[in-house]
Structures are given as structure tokens and as C-alpha cells.
């Protein structure tokens, strides 16, 4: 075993499954299997969750809450799948590491959402019939940084632009997957 | 330096931003780095990146001699050491009154979804796998290949939605997106990429 410590020349030849790490922690030197160390810390920051809501003309709410999920180095993808008898257009919300904003993709296109603000009502999905009965599913998205960061869809409801709605009830299945990295 | 002589660390007590990590490699060199530096490197699970692309087919591309395409350029997006999954959704707006009740579920809906498509490449592979209603197709990174994205049922016939998948290590491009045999349906296509570069 070598006695000297030098900078690692390259990480390409490093195998986390076969090497040990020595960690200087609180003035003591510990050993730990590399893969255990790396994977455990990764798992600590992973966040996966799901929500379900019925959507009617009465407003309902969906929300995800997790520490640091809106921090600058965090990333996530949240999908909002809508359905009734048939599948309706989905909405997808993403945040990348290094970004201080989110992007929302709906059937209408892509828009940026500012962290720390609540959006105006957004059309998240739609169902239109051949006889021009049209109903939108709308909601306002809040991205709030707090002790537990919040991704909240409020005012989730059906809005009909015709006298007779094309939908009276729909469902939303929401999923989120991300890495919540503490940037403090 | 004897590893066996060291006490084992409870991993939850580690502080990646502060703790120094010593590494013993096969070549018997012992080196050090800050834990967070190590965590960001390529041989361990990586932070995902997300990208959107949208594309609208509003006229018959081939009849109008247009190339309707979507592309994503990102350094090392399709390198062997990267992986990604792309989900593709298709929204059709039937703005013409040419449908009949024989067209099934699309008879009542003016805006409808076609079967979606997913494309992925695994870490360590140079093969792009396309899964759609047509089944599974495989393309090699660096090649150009015609692929079937989805299909629509209209006038007693299925019409395929096709494109040419063009890729390099740093880009993926969906070229000449169009319905087969010069059919035209107003279609918005949403691409969502989740990549680990």
C-alpha cells in the first residue's frame, strides 16, 4: 500500500465497485466501499412521488413537497396525465440543474415558469368534439421555495367554452421524479 | 496505510461538501478529492437533464416540399457513456369535415391523441431503440434510418406517421416527419427528453 497521497490522475479508470474510499470526517479517517458511499448519497437526494385528483368544475389541488427540490442544483420532471374515457393531452413540468426557472410543456406549447411565483391559469389539457363542444382543464402552478419546497397546481378545474361541455369529469394522475440537491 | 485498520464510516454521517475522499486504484496510487467532485463524475449515476422540443405539421410536408424536423444538439448526448429516454406525444386537430363514423373513436373527438412513441439509448450501448405502435425498431448511433413514429386510422385505412432518424454522438434529429402517401392531418408533436450525459 503506497504511503504518499497525490491527485487522482483520471477518474476514467476508477471502479466504484472494487475500490475503497478513505474519508476524512470530523478529523478522523474512515474507510467505506466506494459504490456504497456514492449510491447512498445519490439515493438520499432522489425524490419520486405520485398524486391523483378528480377534475370537475369545482377547483381542486395537486401538490408535491420536498426540501431543496427547487434549489439551483436540483432537477425534476413532473408529468400530469389527464383522462376521461379517452386519454387527453398531458402536461409536463421540468427543471434542470443550474436553472432558476421551470419549463412547462402542454398541448399549446412551451412556456417558462418563474420559481417563487404563481402563474395565471394555464390550459393544461383539452377535449373538443366534432360538434364544437370544447372543455379545457386549467390550473395555476405555484413554485414556492420554503423549508419544504412546493410544486402546487391550484384551481384545477374544467372550463367549457361552449354551452354544453364536452367533459363533466376528468382525472389527473401526476408523477414526479427528481434529485433534490441542497445548494445552501 | 492500512485500510483494514480504519474504522467503518456510517455513510449517512458523511458530508460531501466538506469531507475529503482518498482513493486507492488498481495501479496502487492513493489519491484524494472532495466528495462532491467525485459524485459529479461520469462513472456513477448522473444528474438527469430534461429537454422539450415541439413540431407542428400543418400542411402536407412532401407535397409542399418542406422538411418538417425536430432536432436536439447536446454535447455527448448519444455517446456510449450517456443514456436517454424520449417520449413523443401526437395531438391531431381534425380541422376538416372529412370523417365518417367508420373512423371509430375519432368520429366524436375533434382533437385526439395518436399512440405515443418512446425512444431510448442505454448506457454503454450505441443502439437507439424506438418503441411505437408499430413495434420495436433499432438504429445505430451515426446512422440514418426511416422509422415509424405512430399511425392514424382514417377512411378505413391506417396511415403511418414516419420520419428519418439521424444521429451523431452529439445530436439526434427527426427529419422529414410526415404521414405516409401524402396524407395530411394537422398534428402537434411534443418531444420530452430525459438524458444522463
Amino acid at each position: 500500500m503506497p504511503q504518499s497521497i497525490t491527485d487522482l490522475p483520471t477518474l476514467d479508470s476508477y471502479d466504484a465497485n472494487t475500490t475503497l474510499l478513505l474519508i476524512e470526517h470530523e478529523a478522523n479517517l474512515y474507510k467505506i466501499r466506494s459504490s456504497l458511499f456514492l449510491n447512498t448519497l445519490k439515493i438520499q437526494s432522489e425524490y419520486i412521488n405520485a398524486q391523483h385528483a378528480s377534475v370537475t368544475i369545482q377547483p381542486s389541488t395537486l401538490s408535491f413537497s420536498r426540501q431543496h427540490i427547487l434549489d439551483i442544483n436540483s432537477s425534476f420532471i413532473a408529468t400530469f396525465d389527464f383522462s376521461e374515457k379517452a386519454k387527453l393531452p398531458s402536461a409536463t413540468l421540468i427543471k434542470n440543474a443550474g436553472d432558476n426557472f421551470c419549463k412547462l410543456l402542454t398541448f399549446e406549447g412551451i412556456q417558462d415558469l418563474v420559481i417563487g411565483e404563481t402563474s395565471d391559469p394555464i390550459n393544461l389539457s383539452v377535449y373538443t368534439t366534432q360538434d364544437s363542444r370544447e372543455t379545457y382543464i386549467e390550473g395555476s402552478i405555484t413554485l414556492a421555495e420554503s423549508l419544504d419546497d412546493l410544486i402546487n397546481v391550484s384551481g384545477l378545474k374544467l372550463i367549457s367554452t361552449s354551452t354544453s361541455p364536452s367533459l363533466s369529469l376528468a382525472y389527473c394522475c401526476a408523477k414526479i421524479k427528481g434529485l433534490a440537491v441542497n445548494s445552501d | 496505510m492500512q485500510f483494514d485498520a480504519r474504522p467503518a464510516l456510517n455513510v449517512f454521517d458523511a458530508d460531501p461538501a466538506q469531507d475529503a475522499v482518498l482513493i486507492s486504484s488498481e495501479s496502487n496510487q492513493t489519491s484524494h478529492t472532495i466528495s462532491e467532485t467525485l459524485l459529479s463524475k461520469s462513472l456513477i449515476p448522473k444528474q438527469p437533464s430534461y429537454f422539450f422540443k415541439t413540431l407542428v405539421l400543418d400542411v402536407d410536408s412532401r407535397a409542399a416540399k418542406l422538411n418538417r424536423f425536430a432536432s436536439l444538439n447536446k454535447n455527448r448526448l448519444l455517446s456510449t457513456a450517456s443514456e436517454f429516454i424520449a417520449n413523443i406525444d401526437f395531438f391531431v386537430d381534425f380541422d376538416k369535415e372529412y370523417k365518417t363514423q367508420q373512423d371509430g373513436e375519432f368520429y366524436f373527438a375533434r382533437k385526439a391523441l395518436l399512440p405515443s412513441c418512446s425512444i431510448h439509448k442505454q448506457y454503454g450501448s450505441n443502439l437507439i431503440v424506438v418503441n411505437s405502435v408499430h413495434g420495436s425498431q433499432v438504429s445505430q448511433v451515426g446512422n440514418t434510418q426511416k422509422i415509424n413514429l405512430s399511425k392514424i386510422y382514417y377512411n378505413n385505412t391506417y396511415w403511418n406517421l414516419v420520419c428519418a432518424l439521424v444521429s451523431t454522438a452529439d445530436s439526434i434529429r427527426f427529419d422529414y416527419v410526415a404521414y405516409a402517401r401524402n396524407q395530411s392531418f394537422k398534428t402537434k408533436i411534443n418531444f420530452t427528453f430525459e438524458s444522463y450525459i
Side-chain angles (χ1 to χ4, degrees), chain A residues 1-10 13 19-20, chain B residues 3 22-32:
Chain A
M1 187 70 67
Q3 298 298 313
S4 62
I5 295 176
T6 59
D7 285 338
L8 188 68
T10 171
S13 59
T19 55
L20 292 171
Chain B
F3 272 47
L22 310 180
I23 300 171
S24 175
S25 68
E26 289 291 326
S27 57
N28 265 345
Q29 288 182 319
T30 305
S31 310
H32 78 280

Side-chain angles (χ1 to χ4, degrees), chain A residues 99-111:
Chain A
D99 288 346
N100 59 358
F101 61 92
C102 294
K103 282 182 180 289
L104 177 71
L105 174 69
T106 69
F107 68 98
E108 291 187 330
I110 301 171
Q111 60 182 292

Side-chain angles (χ1 to χ4, degrees), chain A:
Chain A
M1 187 70 67
Q3 298 298 313
S4 62
I5 295 176
T6 59
D7 285 338
L8 188 68
T10 171
L11 286 177
D12 290 344
S13 59
Y14 158 77
D15 181 354
N17 285 318
T18 60
T19 55
L20 292 171
L21 302 180
L22 290 182
I23 297 183
E24 183 190 39
H25 177 70
E26 294 179 344
N28 293 311
L29 201 55
Y30 298 91
K31 68 177 180 184
I32 190 168
R33 176 75 55 195
S34 303
S35 54
L36 173 65
F37 172 77
L38 300 169
N39 287 332
T40 303
L41 288 172
K42 201 71 175 176
I43 289 168
Q44 276 184 294
S45 61
E46 283 184 352
Y47 175 51
I48 299 175
N49 204 350
Q51 293 267 307
H52 179 272
S54 298
V55 187
T56 66
I57 58 172
Q58 299 297 326
S60 58
T61 300
L62 279 170
S63 67
F64 295 109
S65 177
R66 168 75 184 217
Q67 280 188 332
H68 306 300
I69 193 67
L70 296 174
D71 281 16
I72 187 76
N73 290 324
S74 296
S75 63
F76 70 83
I77 181 167
T79 55
F80 301 88
D81 291 328
F82 300 98
S83 64
E84 200 260 345
K85 292 183 179 63
K87 186 182 174 189
L88 306 178
S90 302
T92 305
L93 182 69
I94 61 171
K95 180 191 176 302
N96 278 317
D99 288 346
N100 59 358
F101 61 92
C102 294
K103 282 182 180 289
L104 177 71
L105 174 69
T106 69
F107 68 98
E108 291 187 330
I110 301 171
Q111 60 182 292
D112 291 348
L113 297 179
V114 178
I115 292 174
E117 294 185 0
T118 298
S119 73
D120 292 333
I122 299 169
N123 291 328
L124 299 173
S125 192
V126 68
Y127 183 68
T128 309
T129 60
Q130 282 295 325
D131 57 3
S132 298
R133 291 180 294 124
E134 189 161 60
T135 300
Y136 290 91
I137 297 175
E138 72 163 33
S140 297
I141 297 178
T142 301
L143 304 169
E145 287 186 289
S146 183
L147 189 60
D148 288 328
D149 290 350
L150 185 68
I151 301 162
N152 188 66
V153 183
S154 59
L156 187 66
K157 60 185 178 183
L158 302 175
I159 298 289
S160 290
T161 58
S162 52
T163 309
S164 176
S166 59
L167 284 176
S168 57
L169 175 64
Y171 304 95
C172 179
C173 296
K175 294 168 287 183
I176 186 169
K177 184 174 78 168
L179 289 177
V181 179
N182 186 351
S183 300
D184 293 340

Side-chain angles (χ1 to χ4, degrees), chain B residues 131-146:
Chain B
N131 287 303
S132 72
V133 68
H134 298 274
S136 191
Q137 301 162 266
V138 178
S139 177
Q140 194 162 356
V141 174
N143 287 356
T144 298
Q145 183 171 329
K146 178 186 174 184

Side-chain angles (χ1 to χ4, degrees), chain B residues 106-169:
Chain B
F106 291 151
Y107 179 67
F108 297 103
R110 195 171 77 85
K111 295 176 181 173
L113 293 170
L114 301 187
S116 55
C117 175
S118 74
I119 299 178
H120 74 271
K121 191 194 87 64
Q122 290 184 327
Y123 175 89
S125 170
N126 66 347
L127 299 178
I128 303 167
V129 180
V130 181
N131 287 303
S132 72
V133 68
H134 298 274
S136 191
Q137 301 162 266
V138 178
S139 177
Q140 194 162 356
V141 174
N143 287 356
T144 298
Q145 183 171 329
K146 178 186 174 184
I147 59 170
N148 294 305
L149 295 169
S150 190
K151 65 180 179 181
I152 189 169
Y153 188 68
Y154 162 67
N155 199 19
N156 242 3
T157 306
Y158 280 110
W159 306 86
N160 292 345
L161 180 57
V162 302
C163 77
L165 181 66
V166 185
S167 62
T168 70

